[in-house]
Amino acid sequence: MRPESTAIVTGGARGIGQSICVELARRGASVVVADLDSEEMAETKELVEETGQRCELVETDVASSESVQKTVEWVLEEFGSIEYLVNNAGIAGPTAPCEEVSTEEWEQTLAVNLKGPFQMCREVLPHMRAESFGRIVNIASVTGKRPLPNRTPYATSKMGVIGFTRTLAAEVGEENINVNAVCPGSVDGPRIRRVFERQADETGQTYEEVRAEVEREAARGELVDREDVAGLVGFLCSEQSERITGQDINVSAGKVMY
């Protein structure tokens, strides 16, 4: 990574986002954690600073254009530049048949998962263009490539992230700005466990049955670790990925192979 560089990671307070923050810091970037959970952001800050890199916390609602604009303005005032942007903030949305999903649930899921990355990119890109350098990584999902019954808002948002990534990469590629998407499979942790619990309630299965069914879908027969995802993000921000752009790369233990 570039020396004295700055990375913004949305949703960096926990889970995959926290691991991404630490990975980018290990590679030499100062990290700005943009999230709404001030308590858990403090833990991320401590972990990043253990690497010797600077870490700042900014309360950010990616669904709010005003909040996003203020965050980017603050980062530029404080650091002077933004070389790396990781759009990780996201929500699971409802687990229910389409006809039982409310308009509010639909709009909230797309506002965070799809409008959020768009708004972050819209604010950051003018500064990346001015510097003729930038690396943007959008965290999508393998659900952006295949159906996931009873999760229509989430699936739609992640399919949108992949389309947004490809199109934006084509727009800015000649300006030395790479845009890629990482598509995790089922990442072990509290969030996926809550999803399994809701799916179990919806289908009448036990939690253990739902989890085992998901694990069997992967070639390796297991879930993904969040560090697997963070490692790929770090690579996509590195010099070794200079000519990789417009890609949607799976980290799914072989659950999805296209």
Side-chain angles (χ1 to χ4, degrees):
M1 299 182 74
R2 286 192 164 190
E4 299 183 3
S5 58
T6 304
I8 299 177
V9 181
T10 69
R14 70 195 70 79
I16 293 173
Q18 185 178 83
S19 294
I20 291 170
C21 290
V22 174
E23 176 69 20
L24 296 183
R26 286 174 179 159
R27 290 175 177 263
S30 297
V31 176
V32 176
V33 185
D35 206 310
L36 286 173
D37 194 324
S38 57
E39 184 175 331
E40 293 199 36
M41 277 199 292
E43 180 182 332
T44 301
K45 179 178 176 68
E46 183 178 334
L47 292 171
V48 169
E49 290 179 342
E50 286 177 1
T51 71
Q53 293 300 122
R54 181 181 176 186
C55 182
E56 298 294 341
L57 312 178
V58 184
E59 187 173 307
T60 307
D61 178 2
V62 298
S64 163
S65 59
E66 181 180 2
S67 179
V68 167
Q69 183 178 15
K70 287 182 177 179
T71 291
V72 172
E73 287 176 352
W74 183 88
V75 174
L76 288 169
E77 289 175 5
E78 191 71 16
F79 290 89
S81 65
I82 300 168
E83 286 76 19
Y84 308 97
L85 168 63
V86 182
N87 288 306
N88 170 72
I91 59 175
T95 298
C98 180
E99 66 271 22
E100 295 179 13
V101 175
S102 69
T103 299
E104 291 74 20
E105 289 173 321
W106 174 274
E107 291 179 344
Q108 181 189 25
T109 305
L110 268 68
V112 176
N113 294 359
L114 185 53
K115 187 172 78 171
F118 156 69
Q119 294 189 146
M120 289 297 303
C121 289
R122 183 179 61 188
E123 295 301 321
V124 167
L125 274 170
H127 311 286
M128 289 184 171
R129 288 180 188 269
E131 298 297 323
S132 297
F133 180 85
R135 299 292 180 263
I136 298 172
V137 182
N138 298 320
I139 305 302
S141 169
V142 295
T143 301
K145 300 183 175 187
R146 49 176 271 173
L148 184 58
N150 297 322
R151 299 287 300 285
T152 50
Y154 181 79
T156 301
S157 69
K158 293 303 184 179
M159 289 178 184
V161 168
I162 291 174
F164 174 64
T165 297
R166 293 176 180 176
T167 304
L168 188 58
E171 284 187 15
V172 301
E174 291 186 357
E175 297 173 81
N176 195 26
I177 301 171
N178 289 356
V179 188
N180 290 290
V182 172
C183 300
S186 299
V187 179
D188 204 2
R191 178 174 168 179
I192 195 64
R193 291 168 197 157
R194 290 193 294 270
V195 170
F196 289 163
E197 288 169 358
R198 290 197 295 269
Q199 289 176 335
D201 290 340
E202 183 69 29
T203 62
Q205 296 173 286
T206 66
Y207 168 88
E208 290 75 17
E209 288 171 336
V210 171
R211 182 179 177 119
E213 185 176 311
V214 171
E215 290 175 338
R216 283 194 299 271
E217 292 177 343
R220 290 180 57 95
E222 59 186 345
L223 303 184
V224 175
D225 289 333
R226 66 190 203 181
E227 287 77 13
D228 301 333
V229 181
L232 178 55
V233 173
F235 170 73
L236 290 172
C237 292
S238 73
E239 294 177 356
Q240 286 72 36
S241 65
E242 184 71 23
R243 289 168 185 84
I244 300 175
T245 193
Q247 305 303 302
D248 39 274
I249 305 173
N250 302 330
V251 185
S252 69
K255 183 175 182 177
V256 174
M257 300 185 183
Y258 54 86

